[in-house]
Amino acid sequence: AYSVADAKGIVRANVVTRADGTFTSTAPDGKTVEGTWAVVEGKTCFTTKEEGARAECWTEGAPAADGSFSATSDSGETVMVTPAAAAAPADAGVPVWVWA
């Protein structure tokens, strides 16, 4: 489980990835997206269940001591990914991770 924040530090999603290759992403407004994920050519790629969806692939940076890391999409968007154990407390209004 991870929290994903944009360049301004605003949490955009909480994402849960599973060993079976599925994921669930939940936005702060409660909207949930599900799909599959896989590592392809060294990038982590997410494909939603939406009809016609294409994979969105991310290059991950080196992890910090708390396990957080930056990830940059093929389109150039950079986010900070933080493991749930190191994320902000639940009372901070941050939902549990889903990829946006």
Side-chain angles (χ1 to χ4, degrees), residues 15-85:
V15 179
V16 175
T17 57
R18 297 177 199 82
D20 69 357
T22 62
F23 77 91
T24 301
S25 175
T26 304
D29 66 3
K31 179 181 177 187
T32 300
V33 175
E34 296 182 327
T36 58
W37 70 275
V39 176
V40 179
E41 297 178 5
K43 299 177 183 181
T44 303
C45 299
F46 295 85
T47 306
T48 66
K49 288 183 174 181
E50 296 171 357
E51 185 176 332
R54 297 177 60 143
E56 185 172 3
C57 297
W58 299 79
T59 301
E60 299 173 5
D66 68 355
S68 64
F69 57 92
S70 65
T72 303
S73 71
D74 285 347
S75 64
E77 178 184 7
T78 298
V79 296
M80 180 57 67
V81 181
T82 304

